[in-house]
Amino acid sequence: MDEPSAIEMGSETPDDARGTPVGRRLFLGLLGLGAVGVLTGSSVSNWYQQLAKDDPTGLTALLPGGGGWRYYTVTGDYPSRATADYSLRVSGLVDRPFTLTYDQLTALPPKLLDRDFQCVTGWRVTGVKWRGVRLADLLDRAGVQSAGKALRLTSFDGTYTESLTMSQARLDDVIVAYQLDGKPISSDHGGPVRLYVAPMYGYKSIKWLDGIEVVDKVVPGYWEDRGYDIDAFVGQSNGRNDEHT
Ligand SMILES: Nc1nc2c(c(=O)[nH]1)N[C@H]1C(S)=C(S)[C@@H](COP(=O)(O)O)O[C@H]1N2
Ligand SMILES: [Mo]
C-alpha cells in the first residue's frame, strides 16, 4: 500500500476526470488571491467559506476569519438530512437493538465537552463546545453482549466508516454529538448528528453518523484502511503528522 500522507487525507476528491487533487487547484488559487473578483460576486466571507471547505492543505487557516475549521468530506459532497428524517441505529451484538429519532436522542441526558479539535494533518481549533450523548449510555441501553469487542460506525454519506474498541467507546469523553458551539451541528460539520471522540485525532469523529454496530473485532475504518492508526490518541499515535511540516 502507498504510504498515506496528510495531503492525501485531504485530497480524496478529484476535481476533474484526471483526478487532479483539489489541493493543487486550491494552492494555486491561494497564490492568486486576486482572482476572488471573478467568483460570481459572492461576498468575501462566502468565498472564504467555500475555499475553506475545499481546503485539504490547511492553508486557509493562515487567512483571517475562518475559525480554523476545514470541512472534510471524502465523497465530494456534504449530505444533508433534516432532523425530522434523521435516525440512529444501534445494532449488532446487543441484547436490545434500537433506533432513535433526533428528538429521542436529544432528549437523553446530555454530556457537554469543551476541547480543542485536532486534525492529524496539523490544523487545530481551540475551545470547541460540544453537546451530545455519551456513547457509553447508548451502549448500556442496547446491552452489549460478551462477544461484542468493538464498534463499526457508519455515515449516511455512504462511504466513510470508523472503528473504536469497546473500551475506547466507553470513555467518558466520547459522545454522539448534536450541538457545536451552542448551535445544531451544520451539515458541513456532519450534522445533524456526528461522533465526537475528544481524546483522538479528528478522523475518528465520523460525520453524518447513522449506524453503530457492535462487532466481535475491530474493523478498520476509512482512513485506517489507508494506513492511519486505529488507536488515534492525540500525541500518542503515529499520527502521520510527522510527514509534513
Ligand atoms: N463522514 C466523514 N466523516 C469525517 C470525515 C470525512 O471526510 N467524512 N473527515 C474526518 C476528518 S479527517 C476530520 S479532521 C474531521 C473534520 O471535521 P469537520 O469537517 O467538521 O471540520 O471529520 C472527520 N470525519
Ligand atoms: Mo483529519
Side-chain angles (χ1 to χ4, degrees):
M1 176 169 52
D2 287 342
E3 189 72 355
S5 70
I7 295 301
E8 178 194 351
M9 173 172 280
S11 61
E12 276 293 288
T13 309
D15 71 347
D16 63 23
R18 300 190 318 277
T20 304
V22 167
R24 178 171 167 77
R25 185 186 57 176
L26 176 79
F27 183 69
L28 295 174
L30 282 171
L31 291 178
L33 288 177
V36 64
V38 304
L39 291 173
T40 62
S42 62
S43 74
V44 169
S45 73
N46 283 346
W47 167 79
Y48 177 84
Q49 274 299 108
Q50 194 55 46
L51 183 61
K53 264 190 183 181
D54 292 340
D55 176 12
T57 65
L59 289 170
T60 54
L62 303 174
L63 300 173
W69 285 105
R70 240 67 70 229
Y71 301 93
Y72 279 163
T73 179
V74 297
T75 61
D77 65 14
Y78 299 84
S80 84
R81 186 161 297 180
T83 56
D85 298 330
Y86 177 80
S87 65
L88 174 65
R89 179 80 183 150
V90 180
S91 65
L93 300 171
V94 297
D95 291 335
R96 300 173 294 277
F98 61 87
T99 301
L100 292 179
T101 66
Y102 183 83
D103 288 347
Q104 289 170 329
L105 178 75
T106 56
L108 295 175
K111 170 75 178 178
L112 280 71
L113 293 168
D114 182 341
R115 298 287 183 86
D116 296 351
F117 190 89
Q118 174 76 58
C119 174
V120 71
T121 63
W123 58 269
R124 174 192 302 205
V125 183
T126 54
V128 182
K129 295 182 175 59
W130 299 90
R131 181 186 176 101
V133 175
R134 258 182 300 248
L135 184 51
D137 291 350
L138 299 180
L139 295 173
D140 288 345
R141 182 182 171 122
V144 174
Q145 297 172 356
S146 56
K149 302 295 185 208
L151 300 187
R152 185 172 170 274
L153 303 145
T154 53
S155 169
F156 62 79
D157 71 9
T159 301
Y160 204 88
T161 57
E162 254 308 330
S163 68
L164 289 169
T165 66
M166 195 56 67
S167 56
Q168 292 167 357
R170 289 190 170 284
L171 293 171
D172 207 37
D173 52 0
V174 175
I175 63 172
V176 172
Y178 54 84
Q179 273 185 22
L180 195 171
D181 286 337
K183 289 177 293 201
I185 298 177
S186 65
S187 58
D188 293 347
H189 272 308
V193 175
R194 73 180 292 171
L195 195 69
Y196 176 53
V197 181
M200 295 196 185
Y201 287 113
Y203 64 89
K204 301 300 287 195
S205 294
I206 183 172
K207 310 200 312 183
W208 309 294
L209 176 69
D210 70 351
I212 298 169
E213 186 190 359
V214 177
V215 291
D216 62 356
K217 59 177 184 301
V218 166
V219 181
Y222 183 88
W223 285 116
E224 295 148 18
D225 271 341
R226 289 158 178 78
Y228 287 81
D229 273 352
I230 289 168
D231 297 328
F233 289 102
V234 174
Q236 288 173 42
S237 82
N238 65 28
R240 300 289 178 180
N241 52 358
D242 54 335
E243 291 182 6
H244 65 121
T245 50

Short mmCIF file of all heavy atoms in Angstrom, two decimals, residues 9 69-75 78 117-120 123 130 155 157 160-161 180 188-190 194 201-208 223, ligand 1:
data_model
loop_
_atom_site.label_atom_id
_atom_site.label_comp_id
_atom_site.label_asym_id
_atom_site.label_seq_id
_atom_site.Cartn_x
_atom_site.Cartn_y
_atom_site.Cartn_z
N MET A 9 -4.99 12.69 2.83
CA MET A 9 -6.22 12.69 3.62
C MET A 9 -7.16 13.77 3.15
O MET A 9 -8.37 13.59 3.14
CB MET A 9 -5.89 12.90 5.10
CG MET A 9 -7.13 13.09 5.94
SD MET A 9 -6.84 13.12 7.71
CE MET A 9 -6.69 11.40 8.08
N TRP A 69 -11.50 26.00 11.04
CA TRP A 69 -12.07 24.72 10.61
C TRP A 69 -11.79 24.45 9.14
O TRP A 69 -11.79 25.36 8.32
CB TRP A 69 -13.60 24.73 10.78
CG TRP A 69 -14.08 24.60 12.18
CD1 TRP A 69 -14.61 25.59 12.96
CD2 TRP A 69 -14.14 23.40 12.96
NE1 TRP A 69 -14.97 25.07 14.17
CE2 TRP A 69 -14.69 23.73 14.21
CE3 TRP A 69 -13.76 22.06 12.72
CZ2 TRP A 69 -14.89 22.79 15.22
CZ3 TRP A 69 -13.95 21.13 13.73
CH2 TRP A 69 -14.51 21.50 14.96
N ARG A 70 -11.62 23.20 8.83
CA ARG A 70 -11.70 22.71 7.47
C ARG A 70 -12.93 21.81 7.44
O ARG A 70 -13.26 21.18 8.45
CB ARG A 70 -10.48 21.85 7.13
CG ARG A 70 -9.67 22.37 5.98
CD ARG A 70 -8.99 23.69 6.27
NE ARG A 70 -7.92 23.53 7.22
CZ ARG A 70 -7.77 24.31 8.31
NH1 ARG A 70 -8.64 25.26 8.57
NH2 ARG A 70 -6.77 24.14 9.12
N TYR A 71 -13.63 21.78 6.33
CA TYR A 71 -14.85 20.96 6.24
C TYR A 71 -14.55 19.79 5.34
O TYR A 71 -14.50 19.93 4.12
CB TYR A 71 -16.02 21.80 5.71
CG TYR A 71 -16.30 22.99 6.58
CD1 TYR A 71 -15.72 24.22 6.33
CD2 TYR A 71 -17.14 22.87 7.69
CE1 TYR A 71 -15.97 25.31 7.14
CE2 TYR A 71 -17.39 23.95 8.51
CZ TYR A 71 -16.80 25.17 8.24
OH TYR A 71 -17.04 26.25 9.04
N TYR A 72 -14.36 18.65 5.96
CA TYR A 72 -13.89 17.49 5.20
C TYR A 72 -15.04 16.61 4.74
O TYR A 72 -16.03 16.41 5.45
CB TYR A 72 -12.97 16.64 6.07
CG TYR A 72 -11.54 17.15 6.15
CD1 TYR A 72 -10.70 16.69 7.16
CD2 TYR A 72 -11.03 18.03 5.22
CE1 TYR A 72 -9.39 17.11 7.25
CE2 TYR A 72 -9.71 18.47 5.30
CZ TYR A 72 -8.89 18.01 6.31
OH TYR A 72 -7.59 18.42 6.40
N THR A 73 -14.84 16.08 3.54
CA THR A 73 -15.72 15.02 3.07
C THR A 73 -14.94 14.19 2.07
O THR A 73 -14.19 14.74 1.26
CB THR A 73 -17.01 15.57 2.43
OG1 THR A 73 -17.81 14.47 1.98
CG2 THR A 73 -16.73 16.51 1.25
N VAL A 74 -15.06 12.89 2.14
CA VAL A 74 -14.33 12.05 1.19
C VAL A 74 -15.16 11.74 -0.05
O VAL A 74 -14.65 11.17 -1.00
CB VAL A 74 -13.86 10.72 1.84
CG1 VAL A 74 -12.88 11.00 2.97
CG2 VAL A 74 -15.03 9.87 2.30
N THR A 75 -16.43 12.13 -0.03
CA THR A 75 -17.31 11.77 -1.15
C THR A 75 -17.45 12.88 -2.17
O THR A 75 -18.01 12.67 -3.24
CB THR A 75 -18.73 11.43 -0.65
OG1 THR A 75 -19.25 12.60 -0.01
CG2 THR A 75 -18.70 10.27 0.34
N TYR A 78 -21.59 17.20 0.68
CA TYR A 78 -21.95 17.30 2.09
C TYR A 78 -23.41 16.91 2.21
O TYR A 78 -24.29 17.72 1.97
CB TYR A 78 -21.73 18.75 2.58
CG TYR A 78 -20.29 19.19 2.45
CD1 TYR A 78 -19.81 19.69 1.25
CD2 TYR A 78 -19.42 19.08 3.52
CE1 TYR A 78 -18.48 20.08 1.11
CE2 TYR A 78 -18.09 19.46 3.40
CZ TYR A 78 -17.63 19.96 2.19
OH TYR A 78 -16.32 20.33 2.07
N PHE A 117 -10.07 20.76 18.91
CA PHE A 117 -10.30 19.77 17.85
C PHE A 117 -9.03 19.70 17.01
O PHE A 117 -8.59 20.70 16.44
CB PHE A 117 -11.49 20.17 16.98
CG PHE A 117 -11.93 19.10 16.03
CD1 PHE A 117 -12.87 18.16 16.41
CD2 PHE A 117 -11.39 19.01 14.75
CE1 PHE A 117 -13.28 17.15 15.55
CE2 PHE A 117 -11.79 18.01 13.87
CZ PHE A 117 -12.74 17.08 14.27
N GLN A 118 -8.47 18.52 16.93
CA GLN A 118 -7.14 18.37 16.32
C GLN A 118 -7.19 17.38 15.15
O GLN A 118 -7.44 16.19 15.36
CB GLN A 118 -6.18 17.84 17.39
CG GLN A 118 -4.80 17.49 16.90
CD GLN A 118 -3.93 18.71 16.65
OE1 GLN A 118 -3.71 19.50 17.56
NE2 GLN A 118 -3.48 18.86 15.41
N CYS A 119 -6.97 17.90 13.96
CA CYS A 119 -6.83 17.01 12.79
C CYS A 119 -5.40 16.50 12.72
O CYS A 119 -4.46 17.22 13.04
CB CYS A 119 -7.19 17.73 11.50
SG CYS A 119 -6.87 16.74 10.01
N VAL A 120 -5.27 15.29 12.27
CA VAL A 120 -3.95 14.67 12.15
C VAL A 120 -3.05 15.42 11.16
O VAL A 120 -1.83 15.32 11.22
CB VAL A 120 -4.12 13.18 11.76
CG1 VAL A 120 -4.60 13.03 10.32
CG2 VAL A 120 -2.86 12.39 11.99
N TRP A 123 -3.96 20.96 11.58
CA TRP A 123 -4.79 22.10 11.99
C TRP A 123 -5.55 21.76 13.26
O TRP A 123 -5.85 20.60 13.55
CB TRP A 123 -5.72 22.57 10.88
CG TRP A 123 -6.68 21.58 10.31
CD1 TRP A 123 -6.47 20.75 9.24
CD2 TRP A 123 -8.03 21.31 10.76
NE1 TRP A 123 -7.60 20.00 9.01
CE2 TRP A 123 -8.56 20.32 9.91
CE3 TRP A 123 -8.83 21.81 11.78
CZ2 TRP A 123 -9.86 19.82 10.07
CZ3 TRP A 123 -10.12 21.31 11.94
CH2 TRP A 123 -10.61 20.33 11.08
N TRP A 130 -19.11 21.22 22.64
CA TRP A 130 -19.95 20.17 22.08
C TRP A 130 -21.03 19.80 23.07
O TRP A 130 -20.82 19.85 24.29
CB TRP A 130 -19.12 18.91 21.81
CG TRP A 130 -18.00 19.08 20.84
CD1 TRP A 130 -16.71 19.45 21.13
CD2 TRP A 130 -18.05 18.89 19.42
NE1 TRP A 130 -15.97 19.49 19.97
CE2 TRP A 130 -16.76 19.15 18.92
CE3 TRP A 130 -19.07 18.51 18.53
CZ2 TRP A 130 -16.46 19.05 17.55
CZ3 TRP A 130 -18.75 18.40 17.19
CH2 TRP A 130 -17.47 18.67 16.71
N SER A 155 -21.68 6.18 8.22
CA SER A 155 -22.10 7.54 7.90
C SER A 155 -23.15 7.49 6.80
O SER A 155 -23.05 6.65 5.89
CB SER A 155 -20.89 8.32 7.39
OG SER A 155 -21.27 9.55 6.83
N ASP A 157 -23.17 9.43 4.49
CA ASP A 157 -22.53 9.78 3.21
C ASP A 157 -22.31 8.53 2.36
O ASP A 157 -21.93 8.61 1.20
CB ASP A 157 -21.22 10.57 3.41
CG ASP A 157 -20.05 9.76 3.96
OD1 ASP A 157 -20.14 8.52 4.05
OD2 ASP A 157 -19.03 10.38 4.31
N TYR A 160 -17.86 6.76 4.33
CA TYR A 160 -16.94 6.85 5.47
C TYR A 160 -17.35 5.87 6.56
O TYR A 160 -18.54 5.67 6.82
CB TYR A 160 -16.98 8.27 6.03
CG TYR A 160 -15.74 8.69 6.80
CD1 TYR A 160 -14.67 9.27 6.15
CD2 TYR A 160 -15.67 8.56 8.18
CE1 TYR A 160 -13.55 9.70 6.84
CE2 TYR A 160 -14.56 8.98 8.89
CZ TYR A 160 -13.50 9.55 8.22
OH TYR A 160 -12.39 9.98 8.91
N THR A 161 -16.35 5.26 7.18
CA THR A 161 -16.61 4.40 8.34
C THR A 161 -15.55 4.69 9.39
O THR A 161 -14.51 5.28 9.10
CB THR A 161 -16.52 2.90 7.95
OG1 THR A 161 -15.23 2.65 7.39
CG2 THR A 161 -17.59 2.51 6.95
N LEU A 180 -22.74 22.07 18.30
CA LEU A 180 -21.36 22.55 18.21
C LEU A 180 -21.42 24.06 18.49
O LEU A 180 -22.15 24.78 17.81
CB LEU A 180 -20.83 22.27 16.80
CG LEU A 180 -19.34 22.32 16.49
CD1 LEU A 180 -19.10 21.79 15.08
CD2 LEU A 180 -18.78 23.71 16.61
N ASP A 188 -22.36 20.81 6.98
CA ASP A 188 -20.92 20.87 6.67
C ASP A 188 -20.09 20.14 7.73
O ASP A 188 -19.08 19.52 7.42
CB ASP A 188 -20.41 22.32 6.68
CG ASP A 188 -20.98 23.16 5.58
OD1 ASP A 188 -21.57 22.59 4.66
OD2 ASP A 188 -20.82 24.39 5.66
N HIS A 189 -20.51 20.29 8.96
CA HIS A 189 -19.78 19.72 10.08
C HIS A 189 -20.26 18.31 10.44
O HIS A 189 -19.91 17.78 11.48
CB HIS A 189 -19.92 20.61 11.31
CG HIS A 189 -18.88 21.71 11.41
ND1 HIS A 189 -17.54 21.49 11.31
CD2 HIS A 189 -19.03 23.04 11.62
CE1 HIS A 189 -16.89 22.64 11.46
NE2 HIS A 189 -17.77 23.60 11.63
N GLY A 190 -21.12 17.75 9.59
CA GLY A 190 -21.52 16.37 9.83
C GLY A 190 -22.84 16.22 10.55
O GLY A 190 -23.15 15.13 11.04
N ARG A 194 -23.14 13.72 14.62
CA ARG A 194 -21.84 13.12 14.32
C ARG A 194 -21.25 12.57 15.59
O ARG A 194 -21.74 12.86 16.69
CB ARG A 194 -20.89 14.15 13.72
CG ARG A 194 -20.38 15.15 14.75
CD ARG A 194 -19.43 16.19 14.17
NE ARG A 194 -18.16 15.60 13.75
CZ ARG A 194 -17.24 16.28 13.06
NH1 ARG A 194 -17.46 17.53 12.72
NH2 ARG A 194 -16.12 15.69 12.72
N TYR A 201 -7.51 12.03 17.31
CA TYR A 201 -7.48 12.86 16.12
C TYR A 201 -8.85 12.88 15.44
O TYR A 201 -9.64 11.94 15.55
CB TYR A 201 -6.40 12.36 15.14
CG TYR A 201 -5.01 12.66 15.62
CD1 TYR A 201 -4.14 11.65 15.99
CD2 TYR A 201 -4.56 13.98 15.70
CE1 TYR A 201 -2.85 11.94 16.42
CE2 TYR A 201 -3.27 14.28 16.14
CZ TYR A 201 -2.43 13.25 16.50
OH TYR A 201 -1.16 13.55 16.95
N GLY A 202 -9.05 13.97 14.71
CA GLY A 202 -10.37 14.26 14.14
C GLY A 202 -10.96 13.18 13.27
O GLY A 202 -12.19 13.07 13.17
N TYR A 203 -10.12 12.38 12.63
CA TYR A 203 -10.70 11.40 11.71
C TYR A 203 -11.54 10.34 12.40
O TYR A 203 -12.36 9.68 11.77
CB TYR A 203 -9.63 10.77 10.79
CG TYR A 203 -8.54 9.95 11.44
CD1 TYR A 203 -8.70 8.58 11.66
CD2 TYR A 203 -7.33 10.54 11.80
CE1 TYR A 203 -7.68 7.82 12.21
CE2 TYR A 203 -6.31 9.79 12.35
CZ TYR A 203 -6.47 8.44 12.56
OH TYR A 203 -5.47 7.70 13.11
N LYS A 204 -11.35 10.19 13.75
CA LYS A 204 -12.21 9.25 14.46
C LYS A 204 -13.64 9.80 14.61
O LYS A 204 -14.58 9.04 14.85
CB LYS A 204 -11.66 8.96 15.87
CG LYS A 204 -10.25 8.37 15.91
CD LYS A 204 -10.10 7.05 15.19
CE LYS A 204 -10.74 5.88 15.91
NZ LYS A 204 -10.25 4.58 15.34
N SER A 205 -13.79 11.11 14.49
CA SER A 205 -15.08 11.76 14.74
C SER A 205 -15.93 11.75 13.47
O SER A 205 -16.08 12.76 12.77
CB SER A 205 -14.86 13.19 15.24
OG SER A 205 -14.24 13.18 16.51
N ILE A 206 -16.49 10.61 13.19
CA ILE A 206 -17.23 10.38 11.93
C ILE A 206 -18.43 11.33 11.84
O ILE A 206 -19.20 11.48 12.79
CB ILE A 206 -17.63 8.90 11.81
CG1 ILE A 206 -18.35 8.60 10.50
CG2 ILE A 206 -18.47 8.44 12.99
CD1 ILE A 206 -18.59 7.10 10.25
N LYS A 207 -18.56 11.94 10.67
CA LYS A 207 -19.66 12.88 10.42
C LYS A 207 -20.85 12.15 9.80
O LYS A 207 -20.71 11.09 9.21
CB LYS A 207 -19.19 13.98 9.46
CG LYS A 207 -17.87 14.61 9.95
CD LYS A 207 -17.53 15.99 9.41
CE LYS A 207 -17.63 16.24 7.96
NZ LYS A 207 -17.18 17.64 7.64
N TRP A 208 -22.03 12.76 9.94
CA TRP A 208 -23.26 12.20 9.38
C TRP A 208 -23.48 10.77 9.89
O TRP A 208 -23.83 9.85 9.14
CB TRP A 208 -23.23 12.25 7.84
CG TRP A 208 -22.88 13.60 7.32
CD1 TRP A 208 -23.65 14.74 7.43
CD2 TRP A 208 -21.69 14.01 6.61
NE1 TRP A 208 -22.99 15.81 6.85
CE2 TRP A 208 -21.80 15.38 6.34
CE3 TRP A 208 -20.55 13.32 6.18
CZ2 TRP A 208 -20.82 16.09 5.67
CZ3 TRP A 208 -19.56 14.03 5.51
CH2 TRP A 208 -19.70 15.39 5.25
N TRP A 223 -9.98 5.79 6.94
CA TRP A 223 -8.58 6.22 6.91
C TRP A 223 -7.67 5.15 7.48
O TRP A 223 -6.47 5.08 7.13
CB TRP A 223 -8.40 7.55 7.65
CG TRP A 223 -8.91 8.69 6.83
CD1 TRP A 223 -9.95 9.53 7.12
CD2 TRP A 223 -8.41 9.11 5.54
NE1 TRP A 223 -10.13 10.43 6.09
CE2 TRP A 223 -9.21 10.19 5.12
CE3 TRP A 223 -7.38 8.66 4.71
CZ2 TRP A 223 -9.00 10.83 3.89
CZ3 TRP A 223 -7.18 9.30 3.49
CH2 TRP A 223 -7.98 10.38 3.11
N1 LIG B 1 -18.15 11.17 7.05
C1 LIG B 1 -16.95 11.78 7.23
N2 LIG B 1 -16.53 11.99 8.50
C2 LIG B 1 -15.34 12.60 8.71
C3 LIG B 1 -14.50 12.99 7.63
C4 LIG B 1 -14.99 12.76 6.32
O1 LIG B 1 -14.33 13.10 5.32
N3 LIG B 1 -16.22 12.17 6.16
N4 LIG B 1 -13.27 13.55 7.87
C5 LIG B 1 -12.69 13.33 9.21
C6 LIG B 1 -11.54 14.17 9.50
S1 LIG B 1 -10.04 13.70 8.86
C7 LIG B 1 -11.63 15.24 10.33
S2 LIG B 1 -10.28 16.13 10.81
C8 LIG B 1 -12.94 15.72 10.81
C9 LIG B 1 -13.18 17.14 10.33
O2 LIG B 1 -14.41 17.62 10.80
P1 LIG B 1 -15.04 18.92 10.13
O3 LIG B 1 -15.21 18.59 8.67
O4 LIG B 1 -16.32 19.16 10.85
O5 LIG B 1 -14.04 20.02 10.30
O6 LIG B 1 -14.02 14.91 10.36
C10 LIG B 1 -13.74 13.53 10.30
N5 LIG B 1 -14.96 12.81 9.99
#
